[in-house]
Amino acid sequence: MRKIVYLLAVFILIGCGKKAQNTNVNTNNIVKKKFPELKEGRYNVAFLIMDGTFNTELTAPFDIFQHTIFREGIKPMNVFTVANTDDAITSFEGMRILPDFNYLKDSLPKIDILVVPSAEHHLDTDLEDKAMIRFVQETAKEASYVTSHCDGAFVLAKAGLLTNKVSTTFPGDIDAMRKMFPTLDIRKEVLFVHDGKYITSAGGAKSFEAALYLCEFLYGKEIAQKLAKGLVIDWDVDKVPHTIIKN
């Protein structure tokens, strides 16, 4: 009898071990699926995020660009986030976001469009992050477009990308940006500026307009208006104060 009980206990332990092992396998599979599926034949759009990123400057262009997958007859966009960590970052408003890629260690896809939303410390400590600035510099070399929203322009300026370019930023920080980067041409009274591959915007809710402008530039007015309509936005680029520098 004791022998039978002993054998049953052994079988139970072996079964539990196999179950635990299977659980570990499933967990590993989940980890491997962290990265989004990036479909071929699309623009790859990377959003640079960090602690203190402002929700609107991230989610406004993210929404516009992500919705391109629902439009027919165009080259849509793969959208994903990149950060310097595998851990969740916390936005200024408290949203926790798990980055898709860690630019410090992951093999990243070719980035066609880099988006730099504003973050809480873009006027101070973030500009001292040499690895982040280097990532922006290196990505900009290959990217077709680099866009910033609100104080994201400070990052582009620190990376040396706005030299001999016209730009703008959050209206309340234009004077601070002019003081920090006195040689740059920084415009007031406009909500976005397009100069070469760089598009800088005032940020906030106007981040929608800058993203819609890029879509109109890439896809035409009809597609841009459909994207805007899907998000209940009145879109007419002629009614948005902006500057386009012909190159």
Side-chain angles (χ1 to χ4, degrees):
M1 182 68 180
R2 289 181 180 177
K3 190 173 182 179
I4 294 174
V5 172
Y6 174 77
L7 289 173
L8 286 172
V10 171
F11 288 144
I12 291 171
L13 287 173
I14 292 174
C16 289
K18 288 183 177 179
K19 184 176 181 181
Q21 185 179 13
N22 289 338
T23 300
N24 288 336
V25 171
N26 290 337
T27 301
N28 289 336
N29 287 339
I30 291 173
V31 171
K32 289 179 182 178
K33 292 179 181 178
K34 171 190 169 186
F35 298 160
E37 290 188 20
L38 305 180
K39 295 186 177 181
E40 295 184 0
R42 295 182 177 185
Y43 294 107
N44 287 331
V45 184
F47 286 75
L48 177 61
I49 62 174
M50 61 201 70
D51 284 332
T53 293
F54 290 98
N55 285 356
T56 304
E57 280 82 19
L58 167 62
T59 60
F62 197 102
D63 282 355
I64 295 294
F65 294 156
Q66 192 276 339
H67 278 70
T68 60
I69 66 175
F70 303 114
R71 306 272 74 87
E72 295 182 355
I74 65 170
K75 179 180 179 179
M77 300 181 180
N78 293 314
V79 295
F80 52 89
T81 55
V82 296
N84 65 354
T85 179
D86 291 323
D87 298 327
I89 67 101
T90 302
S91 73
F92 180 80
E93 292 82 2
M95 182 185 296
R96 288 173 59 78
I97 306 165
L98 186 65
D100 294 311
F101 293 96
N102 180 340
Y103 63 76
L104 294 180
K105 68 179 187 62
D106 292 332
S107 178
L108 273 65
K110 181 184 182 301
I111 296 172
D112 301 301
I113 301 171
L114 175 64
V115 183
V116 184
S118 183
E120 181 181 9
H121 294 291
H122 272 2
L123 273 67
D124 42 73
T125 54
D126 287 340
L127 300 183
E128 300 171 8
D129 186 340
K130 293 181 180 180
M132 185 267 285
I133 297 299
R134 186 164 55 251
F135 167 75
V136 172
Q137 291 171 330
E138 292 302 313
T139 302
K141 291 179 182 179
E142 300 297 328
S144 298
Y145 300 97
V146 178
T147 77
S148 69
H149 300 273
C150 189
D151 292 334
F154 282 74
V155 173
L156 302 192
K158 182 66 176 181
L161 303 180
L162 299 182
T163 302
N164 298 321
K165 299 292 181 183
V166 178
S167 62
T168 193
T169 187
F170 179 68
D173 290 332
I174 286 178
D175 290 339
M177 189 171 172
R178 285 175 170 173
K179 184 176 181 180
M180 190 178 298
F181 305 101
T183 64
L184 297 186
D185 185 349
I186 304 163
R187 301 288 174 91
K188 284 187 176 182
E189 313 302 332
V190 293
L191 295 178
F192 68 83
V193 175
H194 180 191
D195 189 347
K197 68 164 66 177
Y198 302 101
I199 299 175
T200 53
S201 88
K206 300 309 176 183
S207 301
F208 283 108
E209 274 89 342
L212 282 167
Y213 165 76
L214 179 55
C215 287
E216 182 164 323
F217 184 81
L218 292 174
Y219 306 126
K221 183 179 291 291
E222 182 179 354
I223 292 295
Q225 288 179 338
K226 287 181 177 179
L227 289 168
K229 184 177 180 180
L231 291 165
V232 198
I233 299 172
D234 292 327
W235 171 244
D236 183 347
V237 68
D238 294 330
K239 294 181 179 180
V240 181
H242 65 281
T243 295
I244 299 175
I245 305 301
K246 302 290 186 179
N247 290 309

